[in-house]
């Protein structure tokens, strides 16, 4: 009989987290706070603040270690705004020391609004962070400040992007959520921005995950329209996907300079290739952005569960991952948490 090696959790190293639809889950997103220093109009009403507790850094580390022991190879920290979280640099240092089941370093990434990145890019890189994704919804200062509702935000984020590049947090991705009639006049400007600033700009279709009630199918700017509009100014060439679970359709320009991507969860859902699971700031597992139920992993930790028991709970929870979301279908129910409180 072939030898089965055991990892520290006594789970066969051949066992990778797999759901009942046959998808291997290797990508963990962890929200480390649901506080945010921006009030982006499409995300937050501006009337509510943080709603959920934060765990201690050591508690995130313990839970993440359990996931890594089950085959997670990539960890993305998010929020709320993760740069607001005290202990972030130390958390990254510890994550950089973890090893996957194959003995490799984890892929370590972070999603941020970039407001505090100018001062933090170099320390984060030194701690072991590999990549950042900066959210940015306009390339002109006035529109940007209308979105974030924070004066001076455009200059701060631009400085953050440049600091991240200088620190070697590359490839640097800039994510933009488009809303028809609000910032869709920025599409062509973003194409120029990608080339000028040497960043990968990715447009993300707006999903019904806002605190208020803004979402309609008509407000979503679909992939096909974005490609068509950029193509009119700068001809695009589609790039081949690098892996099956890649969420973005990628394009370069006819002269090969620059890259843009489009993430189309609404018009071209990619649930069949989903490899993700999320942990909220208060330690709940969400198997889908649109899950109606959450799974209280932290509650089990608090109740004294061992790592092996926590791992068994994660395995069971992942098995029940939803096949797909139902955005735009009759009877679609918004989840009780919005994006800022889940961790995008
Ligand atoms: N504060 C960090 C940031 O700004 O990137 C991390 C959290 S934020 C919730 C993560 C991402 O979710 C941002 O890129 C934001 O634009 C995106 N987002 C928020 N609400 C969304 C929605 N309803 N549909 C699509 N993306 C959304």
């Amino acid at each position: 009989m072939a030898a089965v090696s055991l990892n520290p959790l006594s789970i066969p190293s051949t066992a990778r987290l797999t759901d009942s639809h046959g998808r291997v889950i290797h990508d963990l997103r962890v929200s480390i706070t649901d506080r945010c220093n921006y009030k982006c109009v499409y995300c937050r009403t501006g009337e509510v603040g943080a709603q959920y507790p934060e765990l201690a850094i050591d508690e995130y580390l313990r839970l993440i270690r359990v996931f890594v022991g089950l085959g997670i190879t990539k960890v993305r920290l998010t929020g709320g705004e993760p740069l607001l979280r005290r202990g972030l640099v130390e958390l990254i240092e510890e994550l950089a020391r973890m090893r996957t089941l194959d003995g490799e370093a984890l892929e370590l990434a972070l999603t941020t609004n970039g407001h505090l990145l100018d001062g933090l890019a170099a320390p984060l890189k030194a701690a072991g962070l590999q990549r950042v994704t900066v959210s940015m919804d306009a390339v002109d200062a006035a529109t940007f400040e209308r979105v974030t509702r924070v004066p001076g935000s455009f200059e701060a984020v631009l400085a953050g992007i440049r600091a991240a590049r200088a620190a070697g947090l590359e490839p640097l991705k800039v994510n933009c959520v488009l809303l028809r009639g609000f910032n869709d006049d920025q599409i062509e400007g973003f194409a120029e921005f990608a080339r000028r600033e040497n960043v990968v700009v990715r447009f993300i279709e707006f999903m019904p995950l806002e605190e208020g009630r803004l979402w309609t199918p008509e407000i979503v700017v679909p992939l096909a329209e974005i490609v068509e509009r950029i193509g009119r100014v700068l001809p695009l060439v589609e790039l081949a996907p690098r892996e099956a679970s890649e969420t973005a359709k990628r394009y370069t320009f006819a002269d090969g300079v620059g890259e843009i991507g489009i993430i189309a969860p609404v018009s071209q859902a990619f649930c069949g290739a989903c490899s993700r699971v999320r942990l909220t700031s208060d330690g709940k597992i969400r198997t889908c952005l649109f899950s109606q139920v959450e799974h209280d992993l932290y509650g089990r930790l608090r109740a004294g569960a061992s790592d092996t028991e926590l791992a068994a709970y994660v395995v069971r929870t992942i098995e029940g991952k939803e096949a797909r979301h139902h955005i735009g279908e009759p009877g679609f129910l918004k989840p009780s948490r919005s994006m800022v409180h889940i961790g995008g």
Side-chain angles (χ1 to χ4, degrees):
M1 200 173 95
V4 176
S5 67
L6 296 182
N7 62 37
L9 298 176
S10 298
I11 289 179
S13 68
T14 45
R16 294 287 197 269
L17 277 177
T18 307
D19 70 12
S20 64
H21 308 283
R23 295 170 298 193
V24 176
I25 307 305
H26 51 77
D27 181 350
L28 173 67
R29 303 205 158 199
V30 185
S31 171
I32 53 175
T33 178
D34 74 333
R35 288 174 286 134
C36 191
N37 44 356
Y38 281 3
K39 290 179 285 190
C40 297
V41 288
Y42 63 87
C43 184
R44 306 184 55 204
T45 59
E47 280 143 33
V48 286
Q51 290 181 22
Y52 298 91
E54 295 170 11
L55 308 191
I57 294 293
D58 277 355
E59 292 171 327
Y60 288 122
L61 280 167
R62 182 168 166 208
L63 296 181
I64 295 170
R65 202 167 278 121
V66 166
F67 276 95
V68 171
L70 292 168
I72 289 293
T73 56
K74 175 174 174 185
V75 174
R76 176 176 292 276
L77 300 178
T78 181
E81 174 46 44
L83 299 192
L84 293 176
R85 181 60 206 256
R86 191 182 271 174
L88 171 64
V89 172
E90 294 75 14
L91 173 60
I92 303 262
E93 276 169 356
E94 289 300 321
L95 291 174
R97 290 197 190 102
M98 280 187 201
R99 290 293 171 265
T100 67
L101 289 181
D102 296 326
E104 311 272 333
L106 288 172
E107 254 185 86
L108 282 182
L110 176 131
T111 301
T112 171
N113 61 28
H115 193 78
L116 299 172
L117 196 53
D118 190 12
L120 276 167
L124 288 171
K125 173 71 182 179
L129 185 68
Q130 293 152 7
R131 286 186 280 119
V132 287
T133 299
V134 179
S135 306
M136 192 185 185
D137 302 310
V139 285
D140 80 76
T143 311
F144 191 73
E145 289 181 13
R146 222 156 30 95
V147 175
T148 62
R149 295 187 272 191
V150 172
S153 48
F154 183 77
E155 288 73 21
V157 174
L158 194 56
I161 287 175
R162 291 175 177 168
R165 243 190 16 230
L169 289 164
E170 287 177 309
L172 189 60
K173 290 180 185 161
V174 169
N175 280 0
C176 164
V177 175
L178 290 171
L179 275 72
R180 187 178 304 287
F182 191 77
N183 65 343
D184 59 334
D185 60 343
Q186 304 285 306
I187 293 178
E188 294 83 355
F190 264 114
E192 299 284 0
F193 184 84
R195 290 159 65 82
R196 192 172 63 241
E197 294 289 332
N198 190 20
V199 295
V200 179
V201 170
R202 301 188 314 169
F203 299 100
I204 303 178
E205 288 177 348
F206 181 47
M207 295 178 277
L209 284 169
E210 72 284 27
E211 280 177 348
R213 290 198 173 270
L214 204 66
W215 194 90
T216 60
E218 293 72 37
I219 207 168
V220 178
V221 185
L223 180 143
E225 183 178 333
I226 300 170
V227 172
E228 197 264 322
R229 275 184 51 183
I230 296 183
R232 258 190 261 156
V233 207
L234 289 163
L236 289 172
V237 180
E238 191 169 341
L239 294 166
R242 281 169 299 206
E243 53 183 75
S245 61
E246 192 161 79
T247 49
K249 276 218 186 304
R250 301 184 306 122
Y251 301 83
T252 185
F253 300 93
D255 61 5
V257 178
E259 181 181 323
I260 65 149
I262 303 174
I263 303 179
V266 180
S267 71
Q268 297 188 21
F270 39 80
C271 306
C274 185
S275 58
R276 294 180 189 172
V277 58
R278 288 180 160 79
L279 192 64
T280 61
S281 62
D282 56 340
K284 307 272 192 333
I285 301 173
R286 291 187 64 93
T287 48
C288 173
L289 268 177
F290 297 92
S291 292
Q292 293 297 322
V293 283
E294 298 181 337
H295 307 270
D296 192 5
L297 186 61
Y298 180 63
R300 280 160 177 81
L301 180 154
R302 292 285 296 185
S306 66
D307 284 356
T308 309
E309 286 164 340
L310 293 176
Y313 182 69
V314 171
V315 169
R316 276 202 311 279
T317 301
I318 296 286
E319 271 168 15
K321 182 172 160 73
E322 299 82 340
R324 63 186 187 92
H325 69 64
H326 297 275
I327 299 175
E329 295 174 18
F332 169 79
L333 278 179
K334 251 173 89 163
S336 59
R337 289 195 203 217
S338 57
M339 193 67 137
V340 66
H341 306 293
I342 294 173

